Amino acid sequence: MTEERWRSVAIALGAVLVVLVLVAVATSRPSGPAASPTGSGSPAGGSGSPGTSSEASTEPSAPGSEAPSGSASTEPSGSPTIPPSAGLAQITFTDFRLDATSDPDGQPRTFTFKTDGPGKVTAKLTTRSPQGTARFCLKVGNGSPFCRNWTTGTLTGTTNAKNRTTFQVTLIGVGIATPSVDLALTFRAKDPSVTLTNGRFDGTGSDAEGYNGMSGKVKIRSGGTFSIKADWGDTPFNYTYTLVDLTAPSPGGTFTGNGTGIERTDPAAPTHQFGFSLTNDESGVGRMPLTMTVAWK
């Protein structure tokens, strides 16, 4: 083979080698950037990663609702999972009625609580009777509320903060709706408590149905106590407060009094579920605001 022929073959082989190297480099590169989050969380209280919120609807969206059917998460994909450092707390507020957005004096029922360390919070809304759509919001830390117009559904919030994070749930009827609802909260806290603001303490009148105090049930932990602190302004009323063991039914405790508030702590069997209720025993008192904090160990 002539020298010129050898030179042509070498050039051709070199070109093939270059092509093979380029193919190998291209196939070894990542396929592209990771998927961006479907939304952004706001910084939660304390140190650590931002908190996020998401939804899980148990029904199709109500007309005019922002909520799609199914579920959608605003949590960034691939966010780290940090083991929780506090025990699980569970409480359900039952059969309370919401004000309507169209009511000029209407106020959202607001439930505020704190978590300790990282973990997930769930807030479950269930509508009773009368039916109606509620504006249901969950706020994580100092971020903007995550809201849906629902009759039934669950909102979820997460935090990776090492210290405490404040969560807030609000509920108000959409338009002229004034539904009666249950709200179940699950979160992680060392000394759990929930504060209700913009409650109602309107007494026993027929027009006060669903607007007279607050009731619920809670699972007691190993500490074995349940506490309540409530006030309803400057006007003293006759009231009834009850605390009943639902796990081992017994006569329970019924406490009556007269005043502008109540504050007490009672023993409660560890791991048992207890029911509680606070009502105004007087009728025809009009719209009376109620602030109430419940705590348990």
Side-chain angles (χ1 to χ4, degrees):
M1 183 179 293
T2 65
E3 182 178 349
E4 183 177 353
R5 184 80 171 180
W6 276 112
R7 185 179 298 111
S8 298
V9 171
I11 292 172
L13 290 174
V16 170
L17 180 59
V18 169
V19 170
L20 290 175
V21 170
L22 290 174
V23 170
V25 170
T27 57
S28 66
R29 289 178 179 175
S31 58
S36 60
T38 59
S40 61
S42 300
S47 59
S49 302
T52 62
S53 58
S54 63
E55 63 179 336
S57 174
T58 58
E59 62 173 8
S61 309
S65 168
E66 300 175 13
S69 58
S71 63
S73 175
T74 63
E75 184 175 359
S77 59
S79 60
T81 300
I82 303 176
S85 56
L88 200 64
Q90 298 171 298
I91 187 170
T92 301
F93 296 92
T94 57
D95 202 15
F96 59 97
R97 197 167 180 178
L98 305 181
D99 292 346
T101 306
S102 61
D103 181 351
D105 295 320
Q107 297 288 335
R109 305 285 176 266
T110 301
F111 299 83
T112 305
F113 54 96
K114 295 180 184 294
T115 59
D116 292 291
K120 182 172 73 172
V121 166
T122 62
K124 181 180 179 181
L125 166 69
T126 304
T127 300
R128 291 176 172 247
S129 180
Q131 295 285 321
T133 303
R135 183 68 169 170
F136 180 30
C137 300
L138 174 64
K139 180 180 177 182
V140 184
N142 295 321
S144 299
F146 185 78
C147 299
R148 290 293 181 258
N149 291 351
W150 274 342
T151 58
T152 297
T154 299
L155 294 180
T156 300
T158 59
T159 177
N160 285 327
K162 296 178 181 179
N163 301 315
R164 306 195 86 184
T165 302
T166 298
F167 286 80
Q168 190 175 82
V169 174
T170 58
L171 290 158
I172 192 168
V174 174
I176 63 172
T178 58
S180 288
V181 302
D182 291 351
L183 174 66
L185 301 175
T186 303
F187 58 99
R188 291 189 177 275
K190 295 177 181 177
D191 296 301
S193 68
V194 180
T195 297
L196 162 69
T197 51
N198 298 328
R200 298 272 292 268
F201 203 57
D202 296 2
T204 61
S206 59
D207 57 347
E209 184 177 356
Y211 294 126
N212 187 18
M214 182 59 71
S215 60
K217 54 187 178 181
V218 63
K219 186 174 182 181
I220 303 299
R221 307 204 301 188
S222 59
T225 62
F226 183 84
S227 301
I228 184 172
K229 181 179 181 180
D231 66 78
W232 43 86
D234 298 328
T235 305
F237 293 117
N238 294 322
Y239 64 83
T240 297
Y241 167 59
T242 60
L243 182 65
V244 179
D245 190 335
L246 302 176
T247 302
S250 62
T254 299
F255 311 96
T256 59
N258 178 276
T260 60
I262 178 176
E263 182 173 2
R264 60 178 299 128
T265 297
D266 293 285
T271 74
H272 284 207
Q273 189 173 67
F274 274 73
F276 62 91
S277 175
L278 175 65
T279 58
N280 186 339
D281 294 340
E282 300 187 25
S283 62
V285 300
R287 188 179 304 221
M288 299 301 301
L290 172 68
T291 298
M292 182 173 76
T293 298
V294 294
W296 64 101
K297 294 182 178 181

